[in-house]
Amino acid sequence: MDKNEEKQREEEREQVVSPWEVSSSGKIDYDKLIDKFGCQRLDQSLVDRVQRLTGRPPHVFLRRGVFFAHRDLNDILDAYEKGEKFYLYTGRGPSSEALHLGHLVPFMFTKYLQDAFKVPLVIQLTDDEKCMWKNLSVEESQRLARENAKDIIACGFDVTKTFIFSDFDYVGGAFYKNMVKVAKCVTYNKVVGIFGFTGEDHIGKVSFPPVQAVPSFPSSFPHLFSGKDHLRCLIPCAIDQDPYFRMTRDVAPRIGYHKPALIESSFFPALQGETGKMSASDPNSAIYVTDSAKAIKNKIILLKCADKQVCIFWRTRKCGIT
Amino acid sequence: MDKNEEKQREEEREQVVSPWEVSSSGKIDYDKLIDKFGCQRLDQSLVDRVQRLTGRPPHVFLRRGVFFAHRDLNDILDAYEKGEKFYLYTGRGPSSEALHLGHLVPFMFTKYLQDAFKVPLVIQLTDDEKCMWKNLSVEESQRLARENAKDIIACGFDVTKTFIFSDFDYVGGAFYKNMVKVAKCVTYNKVVGIFGFTGEDHIGKVSFPPVQAVPSFPSSFPHLFSGKDHLRCLIPCAIDQDPYFRMTRDVAPRIGYHKPALIESSFFPALQGETGKMSASDPNSAIYVTDSAKAIKNKIILLKCADKQVCIFWRTRKCGIT
């Protein structure tokens, strides 16, 4: 192993970002992540273009670089400028009773995109994924999906343009046909390369990537987009979901669809500091929309903060605790 | 490699039986197959028991040993004797325009079982499987499923007790929930052991075994068996489908269902002889229900028969050609 290789391995140990794990020995290095994933930085000229096209001030998450990376956002804007509409697709894996602040980021931003571009939106609740990864029963995953849907609805989406669905309810028919089409284009070795599955992982995990892929294709929703197979799709999400859509973008042209475009956010830092993200796996890392004022105060007072800056931020700005 | 091992490998080379391939250097040795798969021989006492319980002469396929192996058939009969009903599940992978004589064997036998035991029946058309294995388009697989359904219906099932479905139409809802439950119980290594997949196989193949598994569970059909989660299932099929149901039987008790019972047939020999089965992959090996009398005659006259006995059988008994 030469020095460069050693350095790279060291860096990989320091920073892990996958759909299931986000951790880092220091602050997460988003530039490195852009390089590694092969997406593009979302620069000021794109932010300005969004403003020009929508006639609205860009969302604070755009201005402040919370959404900082993208894939083919320019293509979506080119098409929009020519009068073509697109649709938005985002989602949630229901692993907790309620949403926390980190979960709200894509939904708040998606609401802004829906309002600004006046486009339809599909929201996937991956209750099947959480049933398989978290060892929840089918019934419990569905219950969590329903609870989470309430928090999502509260973000204020346009009810005439928004379709929220749970996989356990909706998978089948045209959606299942697209799943099969995607699955035929992806080898086991390929998903191992993308997601790092091992032979001891159950086959549900191997089967899942097509489920998250196909909402990117309008024909998966015949009751919404019948006859509009060439409608483009824009996916706002946190950057840890990028592997699913790298796979999807690879497959899309082979089965006759546009590659979905992506607009990707950084992570909402855990209460413990910026080396991880607010995560439902560790309730003390997160503030939930259902937490009482007292509970929030306690979480922050009790915080053994690893990162002084974050600690001061939370202690002073959010709760007025000094 | 010692001599025993060598002998075993030699035998394995001589005889291949999987859901995708049946071939042998000589006649297929069904005793060896029973040993290898670990199922039981269907003996005369069981045939007699079927006759006693149904009050009918056993089907010619039972009397002549075409259905020659089983798993837990005794359990089904015990339950039936106590007044419990069961249901039948069989299926067809629609890989050809029409059914051939080999395809008819499980359907003709299943019709007899339905009539004799007066039980409901589900018939799965695995258009998704054939789309994935045969590189057919979704649309073509569905068309074949529809064509095949006509031939199946012509076998004369009780229309009030029979549900025929295509996976592309029916997968979803309760069926998909059971698929996920099964998938969670089966590792990738396990399906490699059972089906011999490699890393270069697409993930659709890895995802499919739960689709063929779950019709064994009554809760996959809520409109038929609602509230009857403990209804037993009997599967008549050719013995090459055994791997799917070995897997299913392994999983069933872990997710709260009875193991399905099986009654398994030998293969309908190819026109070329008893070393293979009549197969849609080789149209000259098979006589189709849509073949004209002339076409059948020609197939047999042109036959270069590898097995003299089979050749004489076909030439004399079936067509009166001498």
Side-chain angles (χ1 to χ4, degrees):
Chain A
M1 192 156 62
D2 69 19
K3 280 212 167 164
N4 274 342
E5 250 184 276
E6 205 170 328
K7 199 179 153 214
Q8 201 185 334
R9 294 224 178 157
E10 186 58 36
E11 280 172 11
E12 275 167 15
R13 267 194 298 278
E14 277 176 7
Q15 179 164 307
V16 179
V17 175
S18 78
W20 309 283
E21 191 185 350
V22 173
S23 68
S24 173
S25 59
K27 271 191 187 182
I28 288 162
D29 185 331
Y30 288 107
D31 285 320
K32 247 184 226 163
L33 220 49
I34 285 179
D35 280 351
K36 190 180 162 198
F37 286 178
C39 41
Q40 297 141 288
R41 185 161 273 285
L42 205 164
D43 59 17
Q44 190 55 43
S45 70
L46 255 173
V47 176
D48 293 342
R49 194 175 177 208
V50 168
Q51 177 160 17
R52 213 165 50 243
L53 283 173
T54 62
R56 291 183 180 229
H59 193 273
V60 59
F61 289 167
L62 268 182
R63 292 198 317 273
R64 299 215 181 150
V66 174
F67 279 79
F68 71 104
H70 76 102
R71 289 177 186 268
D72 289 349
L73 183 58
N74 263 317
D75 288 0
I76 285 275
L77 298 181
D78 287 348
Y80 185 79
E81 198 160 18
K82 286 186 205 140
E84 269 180 49
K85 289 273 176 189
F86 58 90
Y87 74 101
L88 296 161
Y89 155 35
T90 192
R92 156 101 187 113
S95 56
S96 59
E97 191 78 23
L99 265 56
H100 62 54
L101 299 185
H103 297 144
L104 287 178
V105 170
F107 291 113
M108 291 166 74
F109 187 65
T110 302
K111 170 173 164 49
Y112 149 78
L113 290 174
Q114 181 178 59
D115 290 347
F117 289 97
K118 298 179 184 58
V119 287
L121 160 66
V122 296
I123 301 176
Q124 178 180 43
L125 303 172
T126 56
D127 43 9
D128 54 344
E129 178 200 20
K130 290 304 165 187
C131 169
M132 291 192 284
W133 263 264
K134 295 275 173 184
N135 207 18
L136 299 172
S137 70
V138 168
E139 294 68 28
E140 179 63 0
S141 308
Q142 283 191 289
R143 192 185 69 79
L144 293 179
R146 208 173 165 76
E147 287 307 310
N148 285 192
K150 296 177 194 169
D151 295 342
I152 292 168
I153 290 166
C155 291
F157 296 104
D158 180 344
V159 290
T160 67
K161 284 199 178 69
T162 304
F163 175 56
I164 306 180
F165 65 98
S166 119
D167 286 339
F168 277 136
D169 283 339
Y170 192 70
V171 167
F175 196 99
Y176 179 62
K177 286 174 199 168
N178 276 340
M179 277 167 57
V180 168
K181 287 183 192 175
V182 170
K184 279 176 76 172
C185 295
V186 183
T187 65
Y188 178 73
N189 284 343
K190 183 100 183 171
V191 291
V192 166
I194 299 173
F195 300 103
F197 297 137
T198 74
E200 283 309 305
D201 279 315
H202 62 65
I203 56 171
K205 293 189 182 182
V206 182
S207 313
F208 181 72
V211 183
Q212 183 150 337
V214 304
S216 311
F217 309 135
S219 65
S220 302
F221 304 100
H223 71 296
L224 296 176
F225 306 130
S226 178
K228 297 179 183 170
D229 280 7
H230 287 280
L231 196 65
R232 283 170 197 271
C233 174
L234 171 64
I235 304 170
C237 62
I239 197 164
D240 58 342
Q241 299 300 304
D242 191 83
Y244 282 113
F245 302 116
R246 285 205 295 277
M247 188 200 82
T248 309
R249 286 168 51 85
D250 184 50
V251 169
R254 296 164 63 191
I255 58 174
Y257 299 116
H258 284 300
K259 291 181 179 193
L262 288 162
I263 183 162
E264 300 179 316
S265 75
S266 54
F267 307 112
F268 201 96
L271 290 175
Q272 286 77 11
E274 283 186 278
T275 57
K277 66 170 182 174
M278 217 171 241
S279 165
S281 312
D282 174 9
N284 286 323
S285 74
I287 291 174
Y288 288 90
V289 296
T290 46
D291 282 348
S292 65
K294 197 175 159 195
I296 296 171
K297 200 169 166 177
N298 281 339
K299 276 187 186 178
I300 293 170
I301 288 172
L302 293 171
L303 195 63
K304 288 187 176 47
C305 193
D307 179 322
K308 274 277 177 273
Q309 284 310 102
V310 174
C311 192
I312 288 161
F313 172 84
W314 281 107
R315 282 176 179 256
T316 55
R317 298 214 207 160
K318 286 284 162 184
C319 294
I321 305 162
T322 48
Chain B
M1 192 156 64
D2 68 21
K3 280 213 165 161
N4 273 343
E5 251 183 273
E6 205 171 329
K7 198 179 154 214
Q8 202 185 336
R9 294 224 178 158
E10 185 59 34
E11 281 172 9
E12 275 168 15
R13 266 195 297 280
E14 279 176 4
Q15 178 165 308
V16 179
V17 175
S18 78
W20 308 284
E21 191 186 350
V22 173
S23 69
S24 172
S25 59
K27 271 193 188 180
I28 288 162
D29 185 331
Y30 288 107
D31 284 321
K32 248 184 226 163
L33 220 50
I34 285 178
D35 280 351
K36 190 180 163 198
F37 287 178
C39 40
Q40 296 142 288
R41 184 162 273 284
L42 205 164
D43 59 17
Q44 190 56 42
S45 71
L46 255 172
V47 176
D48 293 344
R49 196 175 176 206
V50 169
Q51 176 161 17
R52 214 166 47 244
L53 283 173
T54 63
R56 292 183 179 228
H59 193 272
V60 59
F61 289 168
L62 268 182
R63 290 197 319 269
R64 298 214 182 152
V66 174
F67 279 79
F68 71 103
H70 76 101
R71 288 176 186 270
D72 288 349
L73 182 59
N74 263 316
D75 288 359
I76 286 274
L77 298 181
D78 286 349
Y80 185 78
E81 199 160 18
K82 284 187 207 140
E84 268 181 50
K85 288 276 177 188
F86 58 91
Y87 74 101
L88 295 160
Y89 154 36
T90 192
R92 155 100 187 113
S95 55
S96 58
E97 192 77 25
L99 264 56
H100 62 54
L101 298 185
H103 296 144
L104 286 178
V105 170
F107 291 112
M108 291 167 72
F109 188 64
T110 302
K111 170 172 164 48
Y112 149 78
L113 289 174
Q114 181 178 59
D115 290 347
F117 289 98
K118 298 179 183 59
V119 286
L121 160 67
V122 296
I123 301 177
Q124 178 180 43
L125 303 173
T126 56
D127 43 8
D128 54 343
E129 178 201 18
K130 290 303 165 188
C131 169
M132 291 190 284
W133 263 264
K134 295 274 173 183
N135 206 19
L136 298 172
S137 70
V138 169
E139 294 68 28
E140 179 63 1
S141 309
Q142 282 191 289
R143 191 184 70 77
L144 294 179
R146 207 173 166 76
E147 288 306 311
N148 285 192
K150 296 177 195 170
D151 295 341
I152 293 167
I153 289 166
C155 291
F157 296 103
D158 180 343
V159 290
T160 66
K161 284 199 179 72
T162 303
F163 175 57
I164 306 181
F165 65 98
S166 119
D167 286 340
F168 277 136
D169 284 338
Y170 192 70
V171 167
F175 196 99
Y176 179 62
K177 286 174 201 169
N178 277 341
M179 276 167 57
V180 168
K181 287 183 193 174
V182 170
K184 280 176 74 172
C185 294
V186 183
T187 65
Y188 178 74
N189 285 343
K190 183 99 183 172
V191 290
V192 166
I194 299 173
F195 300 103
F197 298 137
T198 74
E200 283 310 305
D201 278 314
H202 63 64
I203 55 172
K205 293 188 182 183
V206 182
S207 312
F208 180 72
V211 183
Q212 183 149 338
V214 303
S216 312
F217 309 134
S219 65
S220 300
F221 305 100
H223 70 295
L224 296 177
F225 305 130
S226 177
K228 296 179 184 171
D229 280 8
H230 286 281
L231 196 66
R232 285 171 196 268
C233 174
L234 172 63
I235 305 172
C237 63
I239 196 164
D240 59 343
Q241 299 299 304
D242 192 83
Y244 282 113
F245 302 116
R246 284 205 296 276
M247 188 199 83
T248 309
R249 287 168 50 86
D250 183 51
V251 169
R254 295 163 63 190
I255 58 175
Y257 299 116
H258 283 300
K259 292 182 178 191
L262 289 162
I263 183 161
E264 301 180 315
S265 74
S266 54
F267 307 113
F268 202 96
L271 290 175
Q272 286 77 10
E274 283 186 279
T275 57
K277 66 170 182 175
M278 218 172 241
S279 165
S281 312
D282 175 8
N284 286 323
S285 74
I287 291 174
Y288 288 89
V289 296
T290 47
D291 283 347
S292 66
K294 197 176 159 194
I296 296 172
K297 200 169 165 179
N298 280 339
K299 275 187 187 178
I300 293 172
I301 288 173
L302 293 171
L303 194 63
K304 287 185 177 50
C305 190
D307 180 322
K308 275 276 177 272
Q309 283 310 103
V310 174
C311 192
I312 288 162
F313 173 84
W314 281 106
R315 282 176 179 254
T316 56
R317 299 212 207 161
K318 285 283 162 186
C319 295
I321 305 163
T322 49

